[in-house]
């Protein structure tokens, strides 16, 4: 089968304390694939650069973030299923609690999704000639899209994260953005009034009485994945950002019930959905799992190891029997000891039954540098896949 599944384990890489989670985990199926396939190390953006998940995924999927990165807001908005129009400016948003001009809780007392949804329904309004579209996702999170002529994303966010917690007005970072900053400030003030009097906030110790904005970006359509690589691609992901990236690149997104984008996600359902897609019309299926990154940010070695073991047990047997080539890697390291992303390379393995092999028999940070792929960059992944599935065009005659 001349098709491929690309499994990206978010935050896969780690540092030894004294072992890495990959080294400590019981992952016989991944080790078997490493044994039967070829391994190496991947610098998801480029060597020693500390990647964000957004830029890293774009790079791995063949879209140089220097050219194609639209900012986080548009990617999150697409991930929530908002159809964007050329020139829309989108922000990441979160409900927060403000008291006497100071932000006292950036999660609005850990507001639940159902309450946030009711509040969010009130927040799509017109400001002057601009349509504001607000949608919440999980708990306090959401997105704001501004639609109208002459908008610019060159504006500051409304949360400076300063120690005083002072609420910041949105300011223009360029002359052409002054109108947008003005709209954002009017919007923020107006919805603060709406939220403060909303019945859902009655009796809440920490009312969701403000929406903080950040990550502004302007949406522009980019040449799609099939146009650029002649591959029909699908995505199986729980997290909004990853679904958004896939939609931005023109992939079809499979929304799998139980795929939550957290460590409780239904991994078997995701693997089965990926196999179904690859058995259908798709040449490439990109599968994303988030749990290892969350565990890394929490500094929770045990949880990271346990999630790797779940991937090994619940996904790998399904994915490796699909008949498609399988590539397993990560978008960056999230070492538990740092509780943050790092610029360390991540292991990569490539398996299909007719590919080259190497002498590496383990899938981890210590064994894979000895593998046959050597050290590769994120931008190498699409050429690697095209070659693997015999869809690469000859260079020269
Ligand atoms: Zn990531
Ligand atoms: Zn992360």
């Amino acid at each position: 089968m001349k098709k491929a599944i690309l499994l990206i384990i978010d935050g896969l890489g780690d540092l030894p304390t004294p072992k890495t989670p990959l080294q400590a985990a019981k992952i016989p199926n991944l080790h078997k694939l490493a044994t039967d396939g070829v391994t190496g190390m991947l610098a998801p953006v480029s060597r020693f650069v500390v990647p964000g998940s957004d830029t890293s995924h774009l790079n791995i999927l063949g879209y140089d973030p220097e050219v194609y990165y639209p900012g986080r807001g548009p990617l999150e908005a697409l991930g929530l299923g908002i159809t964007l129009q050329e020139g829309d400016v989108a922000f990441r948003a979160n409900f927060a609690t403000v008291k006497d001009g100071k932000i006292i809780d950036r999660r609005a007392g850990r507001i639940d999704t159902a309450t946030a949804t009711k509040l969010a329904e009130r927040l799509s309004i017109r400001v002057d000639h601009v349509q504001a579209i607000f949608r919440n996702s999980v708990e306090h999170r959401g997105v704001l899209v501004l639609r109208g002529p002459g908008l610019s994303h060159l504006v500051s966010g409304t949360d400076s994260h300063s120690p005083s917690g002072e609420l910041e007005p949105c300011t223009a970072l360029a002359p052409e953005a002054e109108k947008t900053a003005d709209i954002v400030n009017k919007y923020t003030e107006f919805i603060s009034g709406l939220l403060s009097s909303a019945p859902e906030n009655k009796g809440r110790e920490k009312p969701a009485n403000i929406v903080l904005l950040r990550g502004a970006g302007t949406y522009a359509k980019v040449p799609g994945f099939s146009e650029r690589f002649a591959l029909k691609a699908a995505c199986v992901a729980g997290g909004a950002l990853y679904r958004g990236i896939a939609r931005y690149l023109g992939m079809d997104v499979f929304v799998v019930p139980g795929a939550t984008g957290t460590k409780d996600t239904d991994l078997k359902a995701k693997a089965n959905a990926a196999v179904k897609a690859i058995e259908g019309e798709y040449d490439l299926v990109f599968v994303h799992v988030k749990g290892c990154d969350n565990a890394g940010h929490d500094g929770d070695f045990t949880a990271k190891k346990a999630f790797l073991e779940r991937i090994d047990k619940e996904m790998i047997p399904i994915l490796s029997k699909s008949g498609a080539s399988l590539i397993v890697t990560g978008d960056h390291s999230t070492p538990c000891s740092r509780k943050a992303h790092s610029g360390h390379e991540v292991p990569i393995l490539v398996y299909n039954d007719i590919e080259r092999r190497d002498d590496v028999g383990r899938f981890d940070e210590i064994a894979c540098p000895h593998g046959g792929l050597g050290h590769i960059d994120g931008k190498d992944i699409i050429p690697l896949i095209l070659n693997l599935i015999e869809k690469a065009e000859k260079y020269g005659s």
Side-chain angles (χ1 to χ4, degrees), residues 10-11 53 242 290 293-294 297 331-332 334 340-341:
D10 208 299
S53 289
Y242 309 93
K290 187 71 179 169
D293 184 52
N294 296 341
H297 283 289
D331 62 337
H332 50 78
T334 310
H341 299 185

Side-chain angles (χ1 to χ4, degrees), residues 6 8 10 42-46 48-76 92 215-216 228 241-242 244-246 248-249 286 288 290 293 330-333 341-343 377-382:
L6 170 63
I8 297 190
D10 208 299
L42 173 73
V45 172
S46 68
F48 312 120
V49 168
V50 180
S53 289
D54 44 13
T55 50
S56 177
H57 275 79
L58 285 175
N59 203 46
I60 289 171
L61 295 169
Y63 286 73
D64 180 354
E66 292 285 329
V67 180
Y68 294 107
Y69 182 53
R72 185 75 176 245
L75 297 174
E76 295 274 353
R92 295 178 83 182
R228 288 191 60 218
L241 172 64
Y242 309 93
I245 289 170
Y248 178 58
L249 306 183
F286 150 51
H288 178 267
K290 187 71 179 169
D293 184 52
D331 62 337
H332 50 78
S333 296
H341 299 185
S342 79
D377 280 355
K379 66 172 165 31
D380 298 326
I381 297 292
I382 294 295

